[in-house]
Amino acid sequence: MRAVTLAVVTLLIATGQAFAQEVSELPVPTGGNGRSQRSEVSQWIGPVKVSIGYHSPSVGRDGDDRSGHIWGELVRYGFSDEGFGPSHAAPWRAGANETTTISFSHDVRVEGKDLKAGTYGLFVEVEPGGPWTWIFSRAASGWGSYQYDPQDDVLRVPATPRDAPPTEYLTYGFESRREDSAVAFLQWEKKSLPLRIEVPDVNAIYVAEMRQRLLGWPGFKYQDWQEAAQFCADHKINLDEALVWADRAIHEPFRGAALGREDFSTLSTKADVLAALGRSGEADALMDRALQMPGTSMIEVHFYATGLLAAGRKERALAVFQLNQRRHPEEPFWTSLGLARAYGALGEKAKAIAAWEVALRRVPPSQRANVPRFEKSLAALKKGAS
């Protein structure tokens, strides 16, 4: 009876406040004199925005510490009849006052189940043992769960509650954040309930947004076309269109309105797209041309050859490092460092040792922190050569 009486009082207070706001248009306390205040938390998972809107009750109320009386008492187990509204079997509203909501800007996967973009009412079925259940309802507006109807359910997923540090105010948050996933959680009193959210094809969403934005002002800059093409090459996605984007960066992003730029950087991007398409011969020919471009820097050549070495293309990497040394004898550290790594990869230990020794005599200030690692590589070569 005490819970029912409290619910009636809360409902009457909230109704009066809603009326006062409507007729006066003045700010008034929400949730009953500042209790269970409105809260919202948002998190981006890559390009996807997830938002949870809720009211946040406290464990203590009017000097009454309700610790140990939340789960199963204040928040009832299972589906219960609150005695109000049309629902005779309602889950917990997962907060206080109005229906808790969760919004997704794009389609997602929740606990392994697909869920369309949109805003949903969020409820929880609490159980004394075993998993609890998150409930997503198309009914995203209303007061609490008094109007809950299972016919509006879009998705139900189980989740196992965890013990948590004492939390006075009911709180939602996000943890375990990755490029394509995050774990939302509800935490209150001494319990936390996780909810794993994944973006199934996050890179495709990025590409779709890039495509759209390139139709507007960003499309007037060749750098934006190059960046979009490079993203596709790096992730091996949308490669045919990426090749078109790479060409626009080089030639003319917007006909008659914006100039492209042909240099080592833009040609490298196009070559990366070609390589991702399996057209390695064309990619190499384009990079041979890029290596001859005026303005191509020593460091650009060095890192191109380093990438070749990482890809296992040792002979081509050595040829590019040798070209870099011929062109830039004034840079003995970087050119010798490249040769040391290439000769080492090819098993030419004597040449690798000689190149390491030159590099170690000319280490610039920016690379001194790496000297122990360089010395370790040289020592390993010498040991193997003895």
Side-chain angles (χ1 to χ4, degrees):
M1 285 301 295
R2 180 174 179 268
V4 172
T5 302
L6 284 174
V8 172
V9 171
T10 303
L11 180 62
L12 291 174
I13 290 173
T15 304
Q17 287 178 340
F19 177 75
Q21 288 176 324
E22 182 178 343
V23 298
S24 68
E25 298 185 356
L26 295 176
V28 297
T30 60
N33 298 321
R35 296 174 179 174
S36 302
Q37 292 183 348
R38 176 74 180 174
S39 301
E40 185 174 23
V41 62
S42 296
Q43 177 62 47
W44 292 87
I45 304 175
V48 176
K49 186 178 182 181
V50 182
S51 297
I52 302 173
Y54 62 105
H55 283 79
S56 178
S58 60
V59 173
R61 178 62 60 86
D62 296 330
D64 181 17
D65 183 1
R66 300 182 292 183
S67 298
H69 300 281
I70 299 297
W71 311 111
E73 295 184 38
L74 184 66
V75 176
R76 299 180 185 182
Y77 291 133
F79 290 76
S80 59
D81 188 346
E82 300 287 353
F84 304 102
S87 178
H88 292 279
W92 180 42
R93 70 187 78 181
N97 300 343
E98 290 94 342
T99 302
T100 298
T101 61
I102 186 166
S103 301
F104 306 99
S105 63
H106 297 73
D107 296 351
V108 295
R109 189 170 292 150
V110 177
E111 295 292 343
K113 303 293 185 179
D114 291 336
L115 188 61
K116 293 291 185 181
T119 298
Y120 300 93
L122 187 62
F123 304 93
V124 175
E125 178 189 0
V126 179
E127 293 293 346
W132 296 2
T133 301
W134 288 102
I135 301 171
F136 297 80
S137 170
R138 64 175 58 88
S141 61
W143 184 267
S145 51
Y146 302 133
Q147 296 173 321
Y148 171 78
D149 187 335
Q151 294 186 33
D152 292 325
D153 289 358
V154 175
L155 180 67
R156 292 188 180 193
V157 293
T160 301
R162 308 170 297 192
D163 292 335
T167 304
E168 175 67 19
Y169 296 97
L170 185 148
T171 301
Y172 282 88
F174 292 86
E175 60 188 9
S176 302
R177 289 176 280 183
R178 304 288 185 268
E179 290 183 357
D180 61 353
S181 68
V183 176
F185 63 86
L186 179 161
Q187 189 161 309
W188 194 29
E189 204 239 8
K190 297 180 182 179
K191 292 291 183 184
S192 177
L193 188 66
L195 180 68
R196 181 170 178 78
I197 302 167
E198 298 172 276
V199 180
D201 201 348
V202 66
N203 290 333
I205 297 174
Y206 274 121
V207 169
E209 292 197 1
M210 290 177 186
R211 184 183 296 116
Q212 185 64 34
R213 293 190 182 191
L214 286 170
L215 297 175
W217 182 249
F220 285 84
K221 294 171 58 180
Y222 79 87
Q223 296 96 328
D224 291 330
W225 293 91
Q226 181 187 358
E227 183 178 355
Q230 189 67 57
F231 179 89
C232 295
D234 292 343
H235 294 88
K236 293 182 172 53
I237 184 174
N238 194 50
L239 295 174
D240 290 332
E241 187 174 23
L243 190 57
V244 174
W245 293 349
D247 275 325
R248 287 184 180 175
I250 294 169
H251 300 297
E252 195 174 20
F254 261 53
R255 186 169 61 88
L259 297 177
R261 180 165 179 172
E262 184 177 80
D263 59 14
F264 183 88
S265 179
T266 55
L267 292 178
S268 293
T269 293
K270 182 176 179 180
D272 286 345
V273 176
L274 288 168
L277 283 164
R279 295 158 62 176
S280 56
E282 293 176 67
D284 287 349
L286 191 62
M287 287 308 299
D288 288 341
R289 180 174 150 202
L291 290 168
Q292 305 302 322
M293 292 288 295
T296 296
S297 70
M298 177 277 301
I299 204 70
E300 285 176 320
V301 176
H302 176 83
F303 283 111
Y304 167 58
T306 299
L308 290 170
L309 204 57
R313 304 187 65 190
K314 303 173 187 178
E315 292 79 6
R316 182 169 173 83
L318 176 60
V320 175
F321 281 130
Q322 289 171 333
L323 172 66
N324 214 21
Q325 187 185 52
R326 291 194 300 272
R327 285 188 178 170
H328 299 282
E330 77 284 359
E331 293 283 356
F333 169 74
W334 287 106
T335 56
S336 298
L337 177 66
L339 288 172
R341 288 172 170 163
Y343 283 131
L346 288 165
E348 299 187 38
K349 294 181 180 179
K351 291 182 178 180
I353 289 169
W356 272 118
E357 289 176 340
V358 172
L360 281 165
R361 289 197 296 269
R362 303 298 295 271
V363 178
S366 64
Q367 293 295 310
R368 284 176 186 161
N370 292 319
V371 166
R373 184 162 56 87
F374 297 155
E375 290 176 336
K376 184 177 179 180
S377 296
L378 175 57
L381 281 168
K382 287 182 174 180
K383 184 177 180 180
S386 60

